[in-house]
Amino acid sequence: MASWAALSPSIVEYFEGEDFYRCGYCKNESGSRSNGMWAHSMTVQDYQDLIDRGWRRSGKYVYKPVMNQTCCPQYTIRCRPLQFQPSKSHKKVLKKMLKFLAKGEISKGNCEDEPMEPTMPTMEDAVASDFALINKLDIQCDLKTLGDDLKESVKSEEKKKGKSSEREESNELIQSQDMEEKLDSGEPSHSAKVHTAPQPGKGADLSKPPCRKAKEIRKERKRLKLMQQNPGGELEGFQVRCQPPSLFPPKAKSNQPKSLEDLIFESLPESASHKFEVRLVPVSFEDPEFKSSFSQSFSLYVKYQMAIHQDPPDECGKTEFTRFLCSSPLEAENPPYGPDCGYGSFHQQYWLDGKIIAVGVIDVLPYCVSSVYLYYDPDYSFLSLGVYSALREIAFTRQLHEKTPQLSYYYMGFYIHSCPKMKYKGQYRPSDLLCPETYVWVPIEQCLPSLENSKYCRFNQDPEAVDGDRSQEPDRLQVFYKKAIMPYGVYKKQQRDPSEEAAVLQYASLVGQTCSERMLLFRN
């Protein structure tokens, strides 16, 4: 990162003051409060440092909520993609997309708003189901063994009493069948009697194999799987029917849980119903691909805003779209050690059969992929494109990490525990929340109990900890004033308004010492 010092410095215009305005989450007319600045230009490293202090951009406007005063505290959240495993709900969305692309199948349900399940290793579910099956088999074997033990006493009793009437036999058969049905359903049988075990040659189906221990069944099942994988000849280690477990070869690769990439990039048949691709396009009107797709992308944005957010048409104009999602302060950078796509702002376009159905606006930064916004075609809501695009962006982060090891996080914007629609971000785990006072990352599991009790929380439990990058003395701050760049000390001598000094001190404190040294503060 040291070689980036030769790049042009970031130029920002800070807006002093902390005005209250309408909250977009709880709709409080004057409950939201934040600091803001206009970024005329910004390096990706400066923006990386800013979002690690709770800032976030909307177009070229960069803002930071006043966490202990705003109605809905907004905590910066990041996911750790290298340890991420898709949950059952995530897999359901990915499989739904594959079925639609391959066969054109459309699921009846819409999981866009379904609560996401906590991420768990998929092997846990498999082990749990195995234990359930084992317990059921053990119960059946124990009951049938008990019937075998009583066979002799039943035989001697039958010799004394003679043959029973056909009516009694049918009653016993019905009771026996009821017992089997309850065993299959998992219900306890209180009315079934032990003496109703089938007589020799009657009752239970003698064509069925005899009952065996669950351990033997598991071994037999494993042996059959291995034989299917190696049909050419006998398998080593299976000359004896019950070999010790240590002689079994390791599980085949096909038995391992599928990775996120396996689920996303599963090959489609040649006769697939739909053609689908994802294109990464730099946000620049100088880029031919971005320029040629601008009109279609804008039309999709208007359709999304009006249908999903009920925005009136006059608020979805081309000017608003460009300022919000096409204007970025980030200067594109392509260092040799960076990712192939370079750093900067991008539109990740999702193309289906030759048309755009979704666009994910993202920033590729030195240590992360930062999600800015997503808009999609409401006609394809059944594909859960919000969840699907997040999983694609996580996979994209892992792809960039292969060449750029320090790029290993996926920033999802703000997590708002008090807003149900924003809590879903906490289900992409493992993830961390940024402490609003000390700016250290804390696992979300440790933060949730505190957030249940209070909207605003300090996550760092160390009472001695303070912000290690706080700068109250902006002596090294550079100021862009009257078309000249000067140190803060020189600028201070030229200005007369005491409030200016307070504003500069506040700015230096909010951006931290590192950014204060690198970024130019623009003053009229």
Side-chain angles (χ1 to χ4, degrees):
M1 299 299 173
S3 62
W4 292 6
L7 296 171
S8 299
S10 303
I11 302 177
V12 298
E13 185 176 0
Y14 176 66
F15 303 128
E16 58 266 22
E18 302 169 349
D19 294 333
F20 286 96
Y21 50 93
R22 186 174 186 270
C23 177
Y25 302 105
C26 70
K27 310 305 179 184
N28 188 322
E29 290 298 329
S30 59
S32 185
R33 198 173 193 184
S34 66
N35 298 282
M37 57 187 175
W38 188 264
H40 295 273
S41 67
M42 183 171 289
T43 65
V44 291
Q45 182 61 57
D46 285 342
Y47 185 56
Q48 174 74 70
D49 292 337
L50 285 175
I51 63 174
D52 284 334
R53 292 183 64 83
W55 293 81
R56 181 168 167 80
R57 79 173 184 89
S58 175
K60 288 191 173 185
Y61 182 70
V62 187
Y63 63 98
K64 179 179 181 179
V66 183
M67 297 290 284
N68 59 349
Q69 298 180 31
T70 190
C71 55
C72 297
Q74 303 161 49
Y75 300 92
T76 303
I77 182 172
R78 72 177 186 185
C79 173
R80 286 174 261 156
L82 305 186
Q83 294 83 36
F84 174 81
Q85 288 290 338
S87 68
K88 288 182 179 178
S89 296
H90 297 148
K91 292 178 181 178
K92 182 179 178 181
V93 171
L94 295 176
K95 291 177 180 178
K96 179 169 57 177
M97 173 65 83
L98 288 173
K99 287 182 179 179
F100 172 73
L101 296 177
K103 303 178 182 179
E105 294 182 5
I106 298 177
S107 300
K108 295 181 180 179
N110 177 13
C111 353
E112 187 70 34
D113 297 324
E114 290 182 3
M116 304 299 291
E117 297 177 357
T119 303
M120 299 173 59
T122 54
M123 288 301 294
E124 240 178 79
D125 297 329
V127 170
S129 61
D130 282 346
F131 275 126
L133 175 62
I134 291 169
N135 290 335
K136 184 175 180 181
L137 288 173
D138 286 342
I139 292 172
Q140 292 177 345
C141 291
D142 290 341
L143 287 174
K144 291 187 177 182
T145 303
L146 178 60
D148 293 338
D149 294 339
L150 297 175
K151 183 183 287 187
E152 296 299 326
S153 60
V154 172
K155 283 183 178 180
S156 59
E157 186 176 351
E158 289 298 328
K159 287 181 180 180
K160 294 179 180 179
K161 293 184 178 181
K163 290 186 177 180
S164 302
S165 64
E166 292 183 1
R167 183 176 180 181
E168 290 175 346
E169 289 179 357
S170 62
N171 288 337
E172 290 176 352
L173 180 59
I174 291 173
Q175 291 177 355
S176 177
Q177 290 174 345
D178 289 341
M179 181 178 180
E180 290 184 58
E181 289 175 358
K182 289 187 177 182
L183 283 173
D184 291 339
S185 63
E187 296 180 4
S189 175
H190 301 290
S191 60
K193 298 180 181 180
V194 176
H195 71 268
T196 58
Q199 299 178 16
K202 299 180 181 180
D205 188 355
L206 298 180
S207 64
K208 292 182 179 179
C211 179
R212 291 180 294 158
K213 292 291 185 181
K215 186 176 181 181
E216 294 180 3
I217 294 175
R218 292 197 303 272
K219 289 182 179 180
E220 182 70 10
R221 188 183 302 155
K222 188 177 293 186
R223 186 179 71 85
L224 292 174
K225 286 184 179 180
L226 293 172
M227 288 180 66
Q228 291 175 357
Q229 296 167 8
N230 185 18
E234 292 187 359
L235 297 174
E236 296 182 3
F238 282 99
Q239 289 80 2
V240 182
R241 183 173 180 179
C242 295
Q243 291 287 344
S246 60
L247 296 181
F248 288 104
K251 284 187 176 181
K253 188 175 181 180
S254 59
N255 292 335
Q256 297 297 324
K258 289 185 177 181
S259 67
L260 177 62
E261 288 76 10
D262 292 337
L263 293 167
I264 290 178
F265 302 111
E266 185 172 329
S267 59
L268 297 173
E270 294 182 0
S271 58
S273 299
H274 299 283
K275 181 181 179 181
F276 182 75
E277 63 176 322
V278 179
R279 303 177 188 174
L280 186 70
V281 181
V283 179
S284 171
F285 285 98
E286 297 179 359
D287 183 86
E289 194 168 1
F290 177 81
K291 191 174 181 179
S292 64
S293 62
F294 176 82
S295 177
Q296 187 180 167
S297 182
F298 166 63
S299 299
L300 178 62
Y301 167 78
V302 174
K303 184 178 182 180
Y304 171 81
Q305 293 295 125
M306 293 179 64
I308 303 300
H309 296 290
Q310 288 77 48
D311 288 353
D314 58 345
E315 293 183 8
C316 306
K318 191 172 294 186
T319 301
E320 288 77 16
F321 171 66
T322 303
R323 182 174 62 242
F324 179 33
L325 297 175
C326 301
S327 295
S328 172
L330 302 184
E331 301 294 336
E333 301 173 19
N334 291 276
Y337 47 81
D340 293 335
C341 63
Y343 298 109
S345 299
F346 299 86
H347 279 190
Q348 202 163 40
Q349 301 173 342
Y350 297 79
W351 290 76
L352 179 70
D353 299 331
K355 71 173 185 177
I356 303 175
I357 64 168
V359 176
V361 185
I362 60 174
D363 294 329
V364 179
L365 304 175
Y367 306 128
C368 73
V369 169
S370 175
S371 176
V372 178
Y373 198 69
L374 172 79
Y375 56 97
Y376 58 86
D377 191 336
D379 294 340
Y380 294 90
S381 295
F382 62 89
L383 291 175
S384 303
L385 291 171
V387 177
Y388 182 79
S389 63
L391 297 173
R392 290 289 304 229
E393 289 170 5
I394 290 174
F396 179 58
T397 305
R398 285 155 61 142
Q399 178 186 348
L400 297 182
H401 171 79
E402 293 179 2
K403 182 181 178 182
T404 312
Q406 69 269 20
L407 202 164
S408 55
Y409 296 102
Y410 173 58
Y411 284 50
M412 295 176 282
F414 287 137
Y415 172 83
I416 306 174
H417 191 74
S418 57
C419 180
K421 289 185 178 180
M422 301 298 288
K423 289 175 66 175
Y424 74 92
K425 297 180 181 181
Q427 304 301 339
Y428 293 83
R429 299 187 184 181
S431 57
D432 310 300
L433 297 182
L434 186 67
C435 177
E437 296 182 9
T438 61
Y439 303 110
V440 297
W441 294 99
V442 181
I444 192 171
E445 293 84 357
Q446 300 179 23
C447 305
L448 294 179
S450 300
L451 289 172
E452 290 292 334
N453 298 323
S454 174
K455 288 184 178 181
Y456 173 74
C457 300
R458 169 194 168 111
F459 300 137
N460 191 338
Q461 300 301 320
D462 183 3
E464 304 294 329
V466 295
D467 174 17
D469 192 31
R470 187 176 296 275
S471 174
Q472 296 291 347
E473 299 295 334
D475 295 334
R476 302 179 186 178
L477 180 66
Q478 298 291 305
V479 181
F480 185 60
Y481 182 64
K482 292 184 178 181
K483 299 182 180 181
I485 298 175
M486 60 191 71
Y488 171 71
V490 176
Y491 162 77
K492 185 178 179 181
K493 293 178 181 179
Q494 296 188 15
Q495 57 90 16
R496 302 296 183 185
D497 189 353
S499 64
E500 287 290 307
E501 183 178 1
V504 172
L505 286 172
Q506 184 186 43
Y507 160 80
S509 174
L510 290 171
V511 300
Q513 182 177 354
T514 304
C515 288
S516 294
E517 294 177 0
R518 288 199 308 255
M519 297 196 312
L520 294 180
L521 177 61
F522 178 80
R523 311 301 291 177
N524 292 325

